[in-house]
Amino acid sequence: MKVARFHAPGDIRLEDAPEPTPGPGDVKIRVRNCSTCGTDVKIFRFGHHHIVPPRVMGHEVAGEVTEVGADVTGWLPGDRVQVIAAIPCGRCPDCRAGRLTVCPNQESIGYHYDGGFAEYMVVPAKVLAVDGVNRIPDGLGFAEASVAEPLACVLNGQELARVGAGDDVVVIGSGPIGCLHVRLARSRGARRVFLVDLNRARLEQAAALVAPDALICAAQADVVDEVAKLTDGRGVDVVITAAASGTAQEQAIQMAARQGRISFFGGLPKDNPIISCDSNLVHYRELTIVGANGSSPAHNRRALELIASGAVPVSDLITHRLPLGEVLAAIDIVGRGAAIKATIEP
Ligand SMILES: [Zn+2]
Ligand SMILES: [Zn+2]
């Protein structure tokens, strides 16, 4: 079978590999869709400390069960499934307390285990042990189901930031994650959602799909001033930074209303993670700043339901569908910001 393997930064190769054989606790799937995201671009450019090459990449996986290990119950060949990306251990104190997203022993598909840029993939027993395989509801396509993984991360972020009815929300960053944040915030009852990006063309492409209540191009206007104007000086209830930008995080603190919540959803480059924060704004306005680290198996399940029910539509966000042989082109498209979501169909 064909696979796309990471060998070193800048070196992803399309190779022939033997079909993997599932162990007694594993399930083998025929990958139907594995979507790409900014993380794939980062891995391609810089590698990742959790990836020991060579490794088959791809972590937004949906496919069809073809073989189940001798010890596996509940799954049969032909079952249509979506697979989690981040695998909590299920046993540590954090996992036992229900904090699966911050499990210190977390491993990931496409990092510690071969991923979905392949015709076939083995879902390791560890994934099944934490209920990390989800049945795709009838009528929902594999491509849409593969978007459950990033939506699960977005859901975790909005739960932690307590996005709810009546909230005014600013989303900074209009890539696929920003688009999912806009749609999820609406489904949770947000009153108005404002979308911000530095890149005007990208902002308008996203706005054409997700129709924010206002868009602000950060290259052309002072974002904090614009948000103040839109809210009569009050600021917004929630600010979500879906961009790897310290400036965006600093602005987020400035534009939050009293008792506002700020989600540092996107991380910063590891060599430049320090921002300046007016601590008195946090103190007197009773602000809450929260992080977000991936998603739990339960988030994946609920994200799949949100997509299947139509609460968070994703079909129109999938702008590019490419065969496995085009994986480098897909990563390039994502890296240039030319796609909302590019999915590989091996
Ligand atoms: Zn991803
Ligand atoms: Zn754990």
Side-chain angles (χ1 to χ4, degrees):
M1 67 168 187
K2 290 273 183 239
V3 301
R5 273 207 198 103
F6 173 87
H7 285 265
D11 184 8
I12 294 174
R13 297 178 207 165
L14 204 68
E15 296 176 324
D16 283 307
E19 277 187 31
T21 310
D26 303 335
V27 160
K28 178 178 166 183
I29 65 170
R30 172 77 176 90
V31 181
R32 293 298 177 190
N33 279 89
C34 185
S35 293
T36 58
C37 77
T39 310
D40 296 311
V41 177
K42 264 192 267 178
I43 294 168
F44 175 63
R45 289 181 184 160
F46 309 115
H48 192 281
H49 62 287
H50 282 148
I51 297 185
V52 181
R55 172 67 69 214
V56 178
M57 289 173 59
H59 60 270
E60 301 184 2
V61 179
E64 207 170 324
V65 174
T66 56
E67 200 178 331
V68 295
D71 299 345
V72 175
T73 53
W75 298 104
L76 292 170
D79 286 343
R80 297 172 354 107
V81 295
Q82 180 266 345
V83 183
I84 59 168
I87 315 166
C89 76
R91 293 187 303 267
C92 71
D94 281 308
C95 282
R96 285 206 306 271
R99 298 186 290 262
L100 279 75
T101 55
V102 289
C103 169
N105 310 316
Q106 189 183 85
E107 295 183 320
S108 298
I109 298 290
Y111 297 66
H112 304 84
Y113 302 94
D114 280 342
F117 292 154
E119 290 174 50
Y120 293 89
M121 184 188 117
V122 160
V123 179
K126 286 192 71 167
V127 170
L128 291 134
V130 295
D131 275 335
V133 178
N134 297 307
R135 206 170 291 277
I136 299 173
D138 287 343
L140 186 67
F142 289 111
E144 288 76 13
S146 74
V147 182
E149 192 279 329
L151 180 60
C153 301
V154 165
L155 178 59
N156 179 42
Q158 292 204 11
E159 284 182 353
L160 290 165
R162 305 192 309 275
V163 176
D167 284 341
D168 278 344
V169 178
V170 165
V171 176
I172 305 179
S174 65
I177 290 291
C179 289
L180 290 173
H181 270 298
V182 173
R183 288 220 163 128
L184 181 66
R186 287 205 194 290
S187 83
R188 295 171 70 88
R191 189 166 82 96
R192 295 185 296 174
V193 187
F194 308 132
L195 187 59
V196 178
D197 203 296
L198 270 171
N199 181 329
R200 178 107 223 165
R202 192 173 159 86
L203 183 60
E204 281 173 3
Q205 183 192 17
L209 293 167
V210 298
D213 294 280
L215 41 133
I216 304 166
C217 177
Q220 292 166 343
D222 182 312
V223 183
V224 179
D225 282 353
E226 291 302 309
V227 169
K229 276 185 223 160
L230 287 161
T231 56
D232 298 324
R234 194 183 75 90
V236 289
D237 303 288
V238 182
V239 188
I240 298 164
T241 64
S245 160
T247 303
Q249 292 186 348
E250 289 169 357
Q251 290 171 335
I253 297 166
Q254 302 284 329
M255 63 179 87
R258 285 171 179 74
Q259 288 199 348
R261 289 87 68 197
I262 296 127
S263 169
F264 289 169
F265 186 86
L268 298 184
K270 61 176 178 292
D271 58 354
N272 191 17
I274 308 297
I275 63 164
S276 79
C277 165
D278 181 343
S279 172
N280 277 336
L281 277 184
V282 179
H283 175 76
Y284 289 110
R285 292 187 184 175
E286 298 188 351
L287 303 182
T288 306
I289 300 174
V290 292
N293 183 52
S295 57
S296 69
H299 287 122
N300 279 256
R301 242 174 341 266
R302 287 171 40 224
L304 199 55
E305 285 161 16
L306 287 166
I307 294 170
S309 70
V312 179
V314 301
S315 293
D316 58 344
L317 303 182
I318 302 168
T319 51
H320 295 70
R321 293 170 188 253
L322 297 164
L324 185 57
E326 303 281 311
V327 68
L328 283 166
I331 289 171
D332 178 61
I333 289 166
V334 173
R336 284 187 286 113
I340 299 288
K341 200 76 188 163
T343 191
I344 298 296
E345 313 200 306

